[in-house]
Amino acid sequence: MAEQITQEKINSVLWQAADTFRGKIDSSTYKDYILTMLFIKYLSDTYKEKVEEYTKRYHGDEQRIQRALSRERFVLDETSTFDYLYSKRNDPEIGEIINKALERIENENTGKLRGVFRNIDFNSEAILGKAKERNAMLRSLLEDFQQLSLRPSQLGKGDIVGNAYQYMIGLFASDAGKKGGEFYTPAEVSELLARLVKPQENDRIYDPTCGSGSLLLKVVKQVPSKKVAIYGQERNGATHSLALMNMYLHGIDDAKIEWGDTLANPLHLKDGKLMKFQVIVANPPFSLDKWAMGFAGEGTNDKKFKMEPGLDPFRRFEWGVPPSSKGDYAFVQHMLYSLAENGRMATILPHGVLFRGASEGRIRKQIIDMNLLDTVIGLPEGLFYGTGIPACIMVFRKDRTRKDVLFINASGEGRYEKGKNQNKLREQDIEKIVETYEKREAIDKYSYVATVDEIKENDYNLNIPRYVDTFEEEEPVDMEAVKENIANIKMELEEVEAQMEKYLKELGL
């Protein structure tokens, strides 16, 4: 029996492959090459094992073998396999050879893989350097992956290739700093959102700023049968490709992940209108500047352009147009307009959305008056890649009958694990938040259920300390002990001064 491949082995090889690029190009860029190669190796090894299986079963009958292979998830020809690329690793045109293999894979699997590799160029001088340096890196990358077998028979039943993909995305996000936050939400925060929205079988689940798809996968995991429909949209082309590969490596072949600007060009439509979803989760870019420029006509000057509600054919901004420099409520309104009548929605946002005034204040008032806001959760600082600012989660529901808002302050001491570079929510912290959310209970210095009237009295300001007392009393000072301590210090000082005077006399000073 072939040796079983462990999660640790895959992770180790992937991290070794990362060393090929580290220090030469930015990790937010080289992740695309490593994760694409992981995908190709997985496709190739699966294909190779199927060829051997059908060759044995059909006693070498080529026609029957090819017919059987054509019904598999993915179809490859020999010049698209990893083994072929590895055999060409010393070829001076190896970058172009890899590009052509990717193009063939797309063409032979157009129903699933059309456009998946269009934003990844293994022959790019601008990214990978001149031919000699580029070829050395690609040769090393192929040699690293040659050590690894991803045959299904050696992987067992666990989702270890998908897990390895997630592991690497997390490491790259950490290494990439601020850029990491653009394609990855920390796993424990994704887990929290997934538990808050409680997806059910047959739900349509949507992330309008899906990054590499990790948050969507956490939500899917909450449904044991996986019988849900997945939708996402991502503006960055390379990250969109990663999301598609991420879905395939987790066994999800029918996810509908689109490439484009969700605000200016939403692509999940039905009969020309925004599609409706039972579950929406998102971690949009915080306070996105120039969020509305996609609505401007060609040649329009940035400074002169002013967004108006009428410019949006889907009428998402009739409650108010957010400031041009802060797109937070643009994403919130898009999601609320995309939410089905029984829908649940949870999104990560900067704290400013809770209290900023002007147009944001008017939008917030409208949302509260329409009874759409369900819960506000304050998160600890330092959870997210590239920003130390604390964030919050806002939970919205369309089917609310109660007229109140739950506030949870999960940012206090002891409610998270402090890390050297990044803080983390522990399982017990997530459980406490979810339990408080479900029970909707008031806990001293942790949570409070505010009536709409209380929120109105606060001028629709949702700043958490207005509702949850976050003041921590200091230990009372024992004045008698302080007095005694001062007396002791005085006595010690007198003794030291007397000793000093004695020494000075002895020295004749």
Side-chain angles (χ1 to χ4, degrees):
M1 185 178 172
E3 175 198 358
Q4 290 292 291
I5 304 298
T6 64
Q7 189 77 65
E8 291 71 25
K9 169 70 173 171
I10 296 183
N11 293 355
S12 170
V13 170
L14 290 174
W15 199 236
Q16 185 179 329
D19 285 335
T20 297
F21 295 94
R22 201 172 285 117
K24 300 183 182 79
I25 59 177
D26 193 88
S27 62
S28 63
T29 301
Y30 73 64
K31 73 180 187 311
D32 303 338
Y33 296 95
I34 293 175
L35 294 172
T36 299
M37 194 56 70
L38 174 66
F39 187 59
I40 299 306
K41 187 73 165 76
Y42 172 71
L43 292 185
S44 296
D45 286 1
T46 303
Y47 169 80
K48 186 160 62 176
E49 188 161 280
K50 287 294 179 184
V51 170
E52 291 171 6
E53 180 190 320
Y54 291 135
T55 301
K56 188 176 177 182
R57 184 185 303 177
Y58 299 123
H59 308 289
D61 185 328
E62 195 60 35
Q63 195 172 358
R64 295 182 74 186
I65 294 167
Q66 290 304 320
R67 193 184 306 137
L69 287 170
S70 69
R71 292 193 289 267
E72 289 296 321
R73 278 178 76 200
F74 299 102
V75 179
L76 271 72
D77 66 35
E78 283 303 320
T79 58
S80 303
T81 62
F82 177 85
D83 287 352
Y84 176 78
L85 298 178
Y86 179 73
S87 73
K88 297 288 185 181
R89 65 190 181 282
N90 293 310
D91 193 298
E93 299 296 326
I94 183 59
E96 189 56 30
I97 290 169
I98 296 173
N99 282 347
K100 285 178 177 173
L102 298 182
E103 188 179 343
R104 281 192 296 274
I105 292 171
E106 275 195 26
N107 290 339
E108 295 200 1
N109 299 275
T110 51
K112 290 177 180 173
L113 298 180
R114 180 184 289 126
V116 158
F117 306 119
R118 64 187 154 202
N119 295 292
I120 296 164
D121 181 2
F122 278 82
N123 204 36
S124 170
E125 185 172 305
I127 296 173
L128 298 175
K130 294 192 180 295
K132 186 178 178 182
E133 184 182 350
R134 179 167 74 246
N135 291 348
M137 279 195 283
L138 295 178
R139 182 175 65 250
S140 181
L141 180 65
L142 289 163
E143 286 171 350
D144 286 335
F145 274 93
Q146 175 65 14
Q147 306 170 49
L148 192 62
S149 172
L150 297 179
R151 287 169 168 254
S153 63
Q154 290 181 261
L155 295 174
K157 292 182 179 177
D159 193 12
I160 68 173
V161 178
N163 291 343
Y165 199 83
Q166 289 286 84
Y167 162 79
M168 289 305 290
I169 287 174
L171 285 175
F172 288 133
S174 175
D175 196 38
K178 186 175 182 179
K179 288 182 181 176
E182 295 173 9
F183 60 82
Y184 185 70
T185 304
E188 66 277 4
V189 182
S190 294
E191 179 69 21
L192 174 57
L193 260 69
R195 293 191 203 177
L196 291 170
V197 294
K198 290 185 172 46
Q200 308 293 319
E201 272 197 2
N202 301 317
D203 276 348
R204 281 197 298 269
I205 300 167
Y206 174 51
D207 183 344
T209 57
C210 69
S212 56
S214 305
L215 175 52
L216 279 170
L217 287 167
K218 284 284 186 187
V219 180
V220 173
K221 231 173 183 177
Q222 294 291 311
V223 183
S225 69
K226 306 278 192 295
K227 194 182 172 188
V228 290
I230 305 299
Y231 297 81
Q233 187 162 337
E234 170 54 40
R235 185 174 184 171
N236 180 286
T239 306
H240 167 258
S241 296
L242 293 186
L244 283 171
M245 287 186 266
N246 204 359
M247 293 294 154
Y248 292 133
L249 289 173
H250 283 86
I252 300 172
D253 290 2
D254 55 357
K256 297 169 182 66
I257 310 292
E258 299 289 350
W259 176 30
D261 180 348
T262 296
L263 296 178
N265 185 27
L267 294 169
H268 292 295
L269 307 174
K270 187 174 182 181
D271 301 326
K273 296 179 181 178
L274 292 176
M275 190 180 283
K276 301 288 185 180
F277 304 92
Q278 285 75 39
V279 170
I280 300 178
V281 289
N283 179 14
F286 286 1
S287 301
L288 182 64
D289 191 17
K290 299 180 183 176
W291 63 269
M293 285 311 296
F295 293 93
E298 283 188 28
T300 305
N301 185 295
D302 282 15
K303 292 177 182 175
K304 289 183 179 177
F305 174 68
K306 189 175 188 311
M307 180 63 187
E308 300 286 349
L311 293 174
D312 177 34
F314 304 103
R315 303 172 62 182
R316 289 167 292 177
F317 308 115
E318 292 183 346
W319 301 344
V321 176
S324 61
S325 61
K326 292 181 175 65
D328 304 305
Y329 273 108
F331 288 107
V332 169
Q333 289 183 92
H334 167 76
M335 288 185 270
L336 286 172
Y337 270 71
S338 303
L339 200 58
E341 284 311 307
N342 61 340
R344 294 90 65 205
M345 165 185 153
T347 180
I348 302 162
L349 296 160
H351 269 278
V353 301
L354 302 177
F355 53 79
R356 291 192 298 243
S359 62
E360 290 183 295
R362 290 190 292 275
I363 296 167
R364 191 167 59 244
K365 177 182 184 301
Q366 186 78 20
I367 289 170
I368 293 165
D369 286 345
M370 292 179 72
N371 201 30
L372 294 169
L373 179 62
D374 186 77
T375 301
V376 176
I377 302 167
L379 296 173
E381 62 184 4
L383 286 183
F384 297 90
Y385 297 109
T387 177
I389 65 168
C392 68
I393 294 173
M394 295 180 83
V395 182
F396 303 85
R397 298 182 73 102
K398 273 276 182 84
D399 57 352
R400 276 168 48 88
T401 52
R402 50 192 312 146
K403 304 278 188 181
D404 56 30
V405 176
L406 171 66
F407 289 85
I408 298 175
N409 172 33
S411 65
E413 286 287 328
R415 291 169 187 158
Y416 62 96
E417 182 182 298
K418 288 187 177 179
K420 187 178 177 183
N421 299 316
Q422 194 175 4
N423 296 327
K424 185 177 179 180
L425 288 176
R426 300 161 298 186
E427 175 58 28
Q428 69 224 48
D429 305 319
I430 295 170
E431 282 180 3
K432 185 171 176 64
I433 294 169
V434 173
E435 184 183 350
T436 307
Y437 171 75
E438 289 174 346
K439 290 182 177 176
R440 223 169 170 79
E441 59 185 351
I443 301 170
D444 187 42
K445 300 192 184 303
Y446 186 75
S447 62
Y448 182 76
V449 182
T451 65
V452 171
D453 286 340
E454 285 178 272
I455 293 170
K456 287 179 180 176
E457 285 170 18
N458 278 308
D459 292 326
Y460 295 89
N461 186 318
L462 301 175
N463 203 13
I464 296 169
R466 286 182 176 241
Y467 305 94
V468 182
D469 180 12
T470 57
F471 179 74
E472 295 290 340
E473 288 186 15
E474 293 183 9
E475 289 287 322
V477 178
D478 185 340
M479 292 308 295
E480 285 301 319
V482 171
K483 192 175 175 183
E484 186 180 334
N485 198 27
I486 291 171
N488 290 336
I489 291 170
K490 280 184 175 178
M491 283 174 62
E492 287 175 15
L493 190 59
E494 285 173 5
E495 288 174 11
V496 169
E497 285 176 344
Q499 192 70 34
M500 281 291 294
E501 196 163 332
K502 182 183 172 187
Y503 290 148
L504 289 170
K505 278 183 182 178
E506 288 175 3
L507 292 167
L509 296 172

